[in-house]
Coordinates of all heavy atoms in Angstrom, one line a residue:
D1642 N 35.4 -47.2 -8.8 CA 36.5 -48.0 -9.2 C 36.9 -47.8 -10.7 O 38.1 -47.7 -11.0 CB 36.1 -49.5 -9.1 CG 36.0 -49.9 -7.6 OD1 36.6 -49.2 -6.8 OD2 35.5 -51.0 -7.4
I1643 N 36.0 -47.6 -11.6 CA 36.3 -47.3 -13.0 C 37.0 -46.0 -13.1 O 38.0 -45.8 -13.8 CB 35.0 -47.2 -13.8 CG1 34.4 -48.6 -13.9 CG2 35.2 -46.7 -15.2 CD1 33.0 -48.7 -14.5
A1644 N 36.6 -45.0 -12.4 CA 37.2 -43.7 -12.4 C 38.6 -43.7 -11.8 O 39.6 -43.2 -12.4 CB 36.4 -42.6 -11.6
L1645 N 38.8 -44.5 -10.7 CA 40.2 -44.6 -10.1 C 41.1 -45.3 -11.1 O 42.3 -44.9 -11.2 CB 40.0 -45.4 -8.8 CG 39.4 -44.6 -7.7 CD1 39.2 -45.5 -6.5 CD2 40.3 -43.4 -7.3
R1646 N 40.7 -46.4 -11.7 CA 41.5 -47.1 -12.7 C 41.9 -46.2 -13.8 O 43.0 -46.2 -14.4 CB 40.8 -48.3 -13.1 CG 41.7 -49.2 -14.1 CD 41.2 -50.6 -14.1 NE 41.3 -51.3 -12.9 CZ 41.5 -52.5 -12.7 NH1 41.8 -53.3 -13.7 NH2 41.5 -53.1 -11.5
A1647 N 40.9 -45.4 -14.3 CA 41.2 -44.5 -15.4 C 42.2 -43.4 -15.0 O 43.0 -42.9 -15.9 CB 39.9 -43.8 -15.9
L1648 N 42.2 -43.0 -13.8 CA 43.2 -41.9 -13.3 C 44.5 -42.5 -12.9 O 45.4 -41.7 -12.5 CB 42.5 -41.2 -12.2 CG 41.3 -40.3 -12.5 CD1 40.7 -39.7 -11.3 CD2 41.7 -39.2 -13.5
S1649 N 44.7 -43.8 -12.9 CA 46.0 -44.4 -12.5 C 47.0 -44.0 -13.5 O 46.7 -43.8 -14.7 CB 45.8 -45.9 -12.3 OG 45.6 -46.5 -13.6
P1650 N 48.3 -43.9 -13.1 CA 49.4 -43.6 -14.0 C 49.5 -44.5 -15.2 O 49.9 -44.2 -16.3 CB 50.6 -43.5 -13.2 CG 50.1 -43.3 -11.8 CD 48.8 -44.0 -11.7
A1651 N 49.1 -45.8 -15.0 CA 49.3 -46.8 -16.0 C 48.2 -46.6 -17.1 O 48.5 -46.9 -18.3 CB 49.1 -48.2 -15.4
V1652 N 47.1 -46.0 -16.8 CA 46.0 -45.8 -17.8 C 46.0 -44.3 -18.2 O 46.0 -44.0 -19.4 CB 44.6 -46.2 -17.2 CG1 43.5 -46.0 -18.2 CG2 44.7 -47.7 -16.8
N1653 N 45.9 -43.4 -17.3 CA 45.9 -42.0 -17.5 C 44.8 -41.6 -18.6 O 45.1 -41.1 -19.6 CB 47.2 -41.5 -18.0 CG 47.4 -40.0 -18.0 OD1 46.7 -39.3 -17.3 ND2 48.3 -39.5 -18.8
D1654 N 43.5 -41.9 -18.2 CA 42.4 -41.6 -19.1 C 41.4 -40.8 -18.3 O 40.4 -41.3 -17.9 CB 41.8 -42.9 -19.5 CG 40.6 -42.8 -20.5 OD1 40.5 -41.6 -21.0 OD2 39.9 -43.7 -20.8
P1655 N 41.6 -39.5 -18.2 CA 40.7 -38.6 -17.4 C 39.3 -38.5 -18.0 O 38.3 -38.3 -17.3 CB 41.4 -37.3 -17.3 CG 42.3 -37.3 -18.5 CD 42.7 -38.7 -18.7
T1656 N 39.2 -38.7 -19.3 CA 37.9 -38.6 -20.0 C 36.9 -39.8 -19.5 O 35.7 -39.5 -19.2 CB 38.0 -38.7 -21.5 OG1 38.8 -37.7 -21.9 CG2 36.6 -38.6 -22.2
T1657 N 37.5 -41.0 -19.3 CA 36.7 -42.0 -18.7 C 36.3 -41.7 -17.3 O 35.2 -42.0 -16.9 CB 37.5 -43.4 -18.8 OG1 37.7 -43.7 -20.1 CG2 36.8 -44.5 -18.1
A1658 N 37.2 -41.1 -16.5 CA 36.9 -40.7 -15.2 C 35.7 -39.7 -15.1 O 34.9 -39.8 -14.3 CB 38.1 -40.2 -14.5
V1659 N 35.7 -38.8 -16.1 CA 34.7 -37.8 -16.2 C 33.3 -38.5 -16.5 O 32.3 -38.1 -15.9 CB 35.0 -36.7 -17.2 CG1 33.8 -35.9 -17.5 CG2 36.1 -35.8 -16.7
Q1660 N 33.3 -39.5 -17.4 CA 32.1 -40.2 -17.7 C 31.6 -40.9 -16.4 O 30.4 -41.0 -16.2 CB 32.4 -41.3 -18.8 CG 32.6 -40.6 -20.2 CD 32.8 -41.7 -21.2 OE1 33.9 -42.2 -21.5 NE2 31.7 -42.1 -21.9
A1661 N 32.5 -41.5 -15.6 CA 32.0 -42.1 -14.4 C 31.5 -41.1 -13.4 O 30.5 -41.3 -12.7 CB 33.2 -42.9 -13.8
L1662 N 32.2 -39.9 -13.4 CA 31.7 -38.9 -12.5 C 30.3 -38.4 -12.9 O 29.5 -38.0 -12.0 CB 32.7 -37.7 -12.5 CG 33.8 -37.7 -11.5 CD1 34.7 -36.5 -11.7 CD2 33.2 -37.5 -10.1

Side-chain angles (χ1 to χ4, degrees):
D1642 287 346
I1643 292 174
L1645 288 173
R1646 183 161 298 214
L1648 292 175
S1649 65
V1652 179
N1653 193 22
D1654 183 11
T1656 302
T1657 294
V1659 167
Q1660 287 183 275
L1662 267 174

